[in-house]
Every structure is written in structure tokens, then in C-alpha cells.
Amino acid sequence: MTPIKPLLQVDNLKKHFSDEGSIFSRSRDKLKAVDGISFSIREGDIYGLVGESGCGKTTVARLILRLITPTSGSIRFDDKDLLSLEGEAQRAYRKYIQMIFQDPYSSLNPRWRVHRILEEPLDAHGIGTQIERKALIDGIIQKVGLPDDTLRRYPHEFSGGQRQRIGIARALVLNPRLIICDEPISALDVSIQAQIINLLKDLQEQYNLTYLLITHDLRVVNYLCDSVGVMYLGKIVEQADKKDVFTDPAHPYTQALFSAIPFPDPENISPRIILEGDVPSPLDPPKGCHFHTRCPKAMQRCREEEPPTVKLTDSHSCACFLYT
């Protein structure tokens, strides 16, 4: 069987921000927000990128969208080198990759009615006549479960969950192939989160969408995702199919994250792994393995050398000396 080519391929991607603007910094200071990550997403799959706040997940999204320029590495979409695109070619590709933002209110223009918000991407790319646009927007509004009078109202007239549905509609209106979901439910009430997650899943199946889901909620990852990447301080420390990483997490950091998932069965509670200390600064990451300052299994080698990424199975890899 011929292997399926990935829709998105990220190789050794880095983004280092200079700290030269601060009067307290040295000219050589670099904030290593993303420090050499690689992953791929097959068309129609959902890839979950998880980790603590500040590990670099959102920076990865901004790099893929070309909102910022990487320091080095490559990003290929549908076998095209995105970093080589400039001008009109770069603008044209953007309609194929859309984003759902964490805060649905701040991502919507408060001065525009919803119809204008949804029409603006079509206008920017010169898609359709006025009649065709209206038909398209009306259909998208129904697909995301919003009332008929939505289009003539302003964002402040809606609840948080409804505003996120508007954000989802805006992402769908250009018929994209990849949607980046950056913490799409973290700003919503718990009672609304399940509705939005189910909506994303239904839309993914209906349109054969590909998602990059950025989140820290492992329960959402377990429900939605096909594969998972775990980030720590700018690096991916473990990648696997969802089943593998949930049944047999390999990296000590992944094990600690998964031990914090609440289980409803009191008879089946795994021991909690408490990580001591704070996450180091990306301005001055530890030598060797970045996780060794908090790792309960750290060895002397971990303090001196950066661990290589080891393939445990065809679909499971881990950057840890425990497996070399």
C-alpha cells in the first residue's frame, strides 16, 4: 500500500526572538520559542499539539500561517514550500489554511455586523458574486448552528459560545483544507465547551477537514485527535498515534501530564506525578535535556547532552535517554 503523503510537513522548525530591544538584555540573548521541531499531518487527520502554557504552541501556529518568519527550518503544505512563497502567491495560499482563535470576542471586529465579518475573507480573495456570497454565508451560518438573524447583528450581541461559532464560520467560508484551532474552547463556559468540540468534529467529518489542534486539555485530545505531539520549552519531546500515547506514554513529561487527567472511576486512579520547580526561561534554557531540571528520572547524562529522538515503533517517537 502506498503511504499517504502528509498535507502539512514541518521539519526542524525554529523561531528565535532577539531580546535586543530591552535595555537590560545582552545583544546575544535569544528567546528560543520554537527550537527545532518536526511533525506531519495527513489529510483528513486531527493532530493535537499539547503542552504547558509558554511552551511555543501558538508560535508554531503563527509560523505555519506565515504571520511571522521562522529562523530556520521548512514548512511544506500539499508538497509546496511555504517559505518560498512571496507576494500574491503567498496571499493565495492563505485561503487554504485558516485559524480559529482562542478568544472569540477579540478576534471579531466589534464595528462590523456578522455578515460583513464573514464576507470580508471572500472579498479579500475576490470569490463569488454578491448573490453567490450571500448563499454561501447563509449556508455556513446554518452549518454552525446560529439563528437566522445572526448576520445583521454585532459580535457584542452574542454569547461566548455563539461568538466562537461565528469564528468557526469565518474559518469555513473560504473552504480551507487545514484549520488551526488555537485553544478553541478554553475561553468558554464548561457547559458550552462540549457543544463546540462536537461541532468541530461534525464539520471535520462532513468537509474532510484537517485540523491542527493546539490545547492543554488532554481530554479533548483523547476525544478528537488521531495523533499527538507533546511540546516542552520549544521542543517536541514525544509523538505518537493517540492510542499509543494514551495507553503507554514514554517521556517522563508526558507521563506527568497524563497523570493529571481526572478519571471518573475511583477504582482506577493512577498515581499523580508532581513536577517540582518552575519551567525554565526560554531565554536561558538548561544545558542538555530541557526537562532535566524537573524530571524525576534525570541522569547525569541528561544534564550534559541533548537527547536524540528515538523511534519506539513506526508511529511512536520519544526524545529521552531512557530509550537510547
Side-chain angles (χ1 to χ4, degrees), residues 18-30 283-284:
S18 173
D19 198 34
E20 295 176 0
S22 170
I23 61 174
F24 300 106
S25 68
R26 301 162 300 191
S27 59
R28 65 178 180 273
D29 285 342
K30 298 287 184 181
L283 273 172
D284 187 24

Side-chain angles (χ1 to χ4, degrees), residues 52-55 232-234 253 275-282 284 286 290-291 293-294:
E52 294 171 288
S53 296
C55 69
Y232 183 81
L233 207 63
Y253 178 62
L275 297 179
E276 298 182 358
D278 297 324
V279 180
S281 169
D284 187 24
H290 286 181
F291 185 58
T293 59
R294 304 172 71 199

Side-chain angles (χ1 to χ4, degrees), residues 66 86 200 212 219 296:
R66 291 294 309 273
E86 299 291 344
L200 290 173
L212 170 57
R219 294 167 300 176

